[in-house]
Amino acid sequence: MAHLGSGRRRALAVPVGLALTASLAFLPSVAASAAPLGNTAETAAASKAETTGPKLSYVANLNSYATVKAAKKAIERAGGTVVTSYEQIGVIVAHSQNPDFAKTLRANRGLFVSVGATRTAPLQTVQTTEEGTTQKLSAADAAKATAVAQEGQEPLEPNQWDLRAIKADQAHKINDGSRNVTVGVIDTGVDDTHPDLAPNFSKEQSANCVGGVADTTDGAWRPYPDGSDHGTHVAGTIAAARNGVGVSGIAPGVKVAGIKVSEPGTSLFFTEAVVCGFMFAAEKGIEVTNNSYYVDPWYFNCKTDDDQKALVEALTRASKYAERKGVLNVAAAGNENWDLSADSIVDDTSPDDATPVPRTIDPKVCLDLPTQLPGVVTVSATGDKGLRSYYSSYGLGVVDVAAPGGDKWQVPATPDANGRVLSTLPGGGYGYKQGTSMATPHVAGVAALLKSAHPSATPSQLQAMLKAQATKTDCPTQIYDATGALINATTCQSKWGQTGYYGYGVVDALKAVK
């Protein structure tokens, strides 16, 4: 994924070293009837709301019978300013400097199910710098690949072990995808001027959702000038064109769109931006979204916490709305080597917009978002040898499928002998990353091929096909650890025809087009 910043930032990608690395029941859409505004004392107190605290962003989730008009008035009385409202799902994004803003609104149970701050630090325009570097393709390695490329291959395709691992190269001889299918890359932005992306890029389905409001100004979806290359790398894995230039995507015949949701200078992905991303994808007719990140500032959002519960609710409503509109959402499992099906996990990364406070959480109560949202396809990463990548999180009953995400210790027999994933970079370049961020676009690409072959398939049907067609993969006896040593794979569990490492198996692009 594509997140940057200090500490263990997350876009679920592990660039040569580090990386970016996802409920509640959905409530019906907002009805037209009026809702009670609370008692007189509450209203009077709210009218005198303090505005001297730090400026924070909030999501307010309405009751099914509440009206947006009434909710907006309550927000204003509590010292808030409405940024945007999604009436389709009953979610309002607001800013406030009232320290008691959320508490005041929560007291009005006639209007609000939950209200929560989307961050713990004040709103800022720019924060820190990105962490980690991408390994760029050298001229020498490019020349080696080009020298051995066969007829019908892209110049750098000999280095793309990942295509061959899921038979995408064979699939392209049958069907490389339909122009009627678009994959939305919800990420750090996509460079649509890249020669391998320009032929397949859909400007009409692209936007900048930072702050919670979609900006469709030309180029708004591109990475910040000093920003992350993560989204562009992901986009290339999905849909780099077979045009005699560079690399090939998994589905080189489909369209790709960029939906930027990362904050400037940080690659932090906040709830209001991700909600906007899901809603924009839903309304613009996108068929698949790729989500190679986790939603900040909490790695896990606990439904026992008033703020975090509201974030889970808003994201659940948005992702389920997108699903009902025909969008299949695919997300990365993460790069922490965590067992997401464990009874407990020690999270020492949250909140990541302030000073983290170690806590022990139950991943069944505290969710990794968006990967643990209902209906989302959760993806773990593998390397060239087919083993789970040393960094990849996993979990029996949590991971749905696996795909190549790269592993520097699983060295392929390619001209570059690089176990990471090669893809596009901003400015027309190419480079290597590893992470569940890199595995996820392989699955999104296969899903796009499935949608191309089965245009009427629903998101749930596409997900069922992904699982049914996956290459069943048993628990290995050994895997590589972070130092490159082979260790016993004692943490892999099997049940119900699944494993904790690979879910239903490794996706298969060839089966998707047959």
Side-chain angles (χ1 to χ4, degrees):
M1 274 118 182
H3 299 51
L4 319 164
S6 60
R8 298 165 74 181
R9 192 71 255 109
R10 44 286 190 317
L12 302 173
V14 185
V16 190
L18 284 167
L20 301 156
T21 351
S23 99
L24 300 174
F26 176 80
L27 295 177
S29 298
V30 183
S33 60
L37 297 180
N39 58 44
T40 304
E42 175 191 333
T43 303
S47 66
K48 300 177 183 178
E50 292 290 337
T51 57
T52 57
K55 185 178 180 181
L56 295 180
S57 180
Y58 297 83
V59 287
N61 303 304
L62 279 61
N63 266 313
S64 59
Y65 53 78
T67 66
V68 170
K69 182 178 179 180
K72 286 181 176 179
K73 288 182 178 179
I75 287 170
E76 292 168 358
R77 286 196 305 274
T81 301
V82 173
V83 175
T84 190
S85 62
Y86 295 102
E87 298 191 30
Q88 311 97 311
I89 60 172
V91 174
I92 295 178
V93 178
H95 292 169
S96 180
Q97 289 182 265
N98 176 10
D100 293 324
F101 178 74
K103 180 180 178 181
T104 300
L105 295 186
R106 289 175 194 142
N108 193 336
R109 296 183 180 179
L111 280 178
F112 302 102
V113 171
S114 56
V115 181
T118 67
R119 61 196 77 199
T120 64
L123 291 171
Q124 299 182 50
T125 302
V126 177
Q127 294 182 28
T128 56
T129 184
E130 82 170 312
E131 168 188 43
T133 58
T134 300
Q135 187 179 67
K136 293 186 177 180
L137 176 71
S138 68
D141 281 335
K144 289 179 186 177
T146 301
V148 299
Q150 300 176 6
E151 183 178 356
Q153 282 190 319
E154 296 296 276
L156 301 178
E157 195 171 337
N159 288 336
Q160 291 187 274
W161 61 269
D162 51 308
L163 261 66
R164 297 181 284 281
I166 60 171
K167 304 184 183 70
D169 56 329
Q170 299 177 51
H172 297 164
K173 296 175 182 178
I174 300 172
N175 185 351
D176 58 9
S178 169
R179 302 295 290 176
N180 295 323
V181 174
T182 302
V183 179
V185 177
I186 301 178
D187 213 294
T188 61
V190 175
D191 179 9
D192 58 301
T193 68
H194 193 292
D196 244 351
L197 297 177
N200 291 338
F201 194 81
S202 176
K203 291 186 176 183
E204 296 75 18
Q205 295 169 294
S206 298
N208 178 355
C209 266
V210 176
V213 181
D215 174 9
T216 57
T217 305
D218 189 58
W221 51 77
R222 293 173 190 150
Y224 302 110
D226 59 347
S228 170
D229 55 18
H230 187 266
T232 301
H233 193 279
V234 165
T237 296
I238 295 168
R242 296 193 72 87
N243 57 353
V245 176
V247 297
S248 171
I250 301 300
V254 307
K255 292 188 293 185
V256 64
I259 304 175
K260 185 165 65 176
V261 295
S262 63
E263 294 281 310
T266 64
S267 279
L268 294 175
F269 293 50
F270 291 116
T271 296
E272 62 270 27
V274 177
V275 167
C276 172
F278 283 134
M279 297 300 291
F280 184 82
E283 302 299 357
K284 290 295 182 178
I286 286 172
E287 284 77 19
V288 181
T289 67
N290 187 96
N291 302 271
S292 292
Y293 59 89
Y294 73 80
V295 179
D296 301 283
W298 307 97
Y299 202 113
F300 295 93
N301 289 265
C302 299
K303 291 180 280 186
T304 53
D305 176 273
D306 285 337
D307 283 305
Q308 294 165 44
K309 175 176 69 174
L311 309 189
V312 174
E313 177 74 15
L315 289 162
T316 299
R317 293 186 182 194
S319 64
K320 293 303 289 182
Y321 178 79
E323 185 179 343
R324 290 200 305 276
K325 296 282 282 188
V327 183
L328 177 67
N329 301 306
V330 183
N335 299 334
E336 305 294 343
N337 191 26
W338 278 332
D339 181 356
L340 297 176
S341 64
D343 292 331
S344 64
I345 292 174
V346 177
D347 172 21
D348 58 4
T349 69
S350 306
D352 59 15
D353 62 344
T355 302
V357 178
R359 56 180 182 159
T360 300
I361 62 94
D362 178 350
K364 291 180 288 295
V365 176
C366 303
L367 305 182
D368 179 358
L369 303 177
T371 202
Q372 286 183 282
L373 289 174
V376 171
V377 178
T378 302
V379 183
S380 64
T382 61
D384 176 70
K385 309 303 181 188
L387 302 176
R388 176 178 69 84
S389 301
Y390 67 88
Y391 53 78
S392 180
S393 291
Y394 56 97
L396 184 63
V398 178
V399 168
D400 293 306
V401 290
D407 185 329
K408 62 184 178 181
W409 303 118
Q410 299 183 49
V411 181
T414 52
D416 57 4
N418 196 318
R420 303 170 183 87
V421 174
L422 178 63
S423 189
T424 49
L425 298 180
Y430 298 88
Y432 304 87
K433 286 179 179 289
Q434 60 180 8
T436 53
S437 277
M438 283 57 260
T440 305
H442 286 80
V443 177
V446 173
L449 291 176
L450 278 170
K451 184 66 174 179
S452 299
H454 307 278
S456 62
T458 65
S460 61
Q461 289 171 333
L462 291 175
Q463 180 165 176
M465 285 188 277
L466 277 173
K467 294 175 180 178
Q469 295 177 0
T471 302
K472 305 304 178 186
T473 308
D474 294 331
C475 284
T477 56
Q478 291 184 309
I479 58 171
Y480 290 95
D481 67 8
T483 68
L486 278 170
I487 60 173
N488 293 330
T490 57
T491 56
C492 187
Q493 297 177 301
S494 301
K495 194 176 183 180
W496 315 302
Q498 307 172 52
T499 68
Y501 282 6
Y502 311 108
Y504 285 88
V506 178
V507 292
D508 189 313
L510 182 58
K511 288 181 181 177
V513 300
K514 280 189 171 181

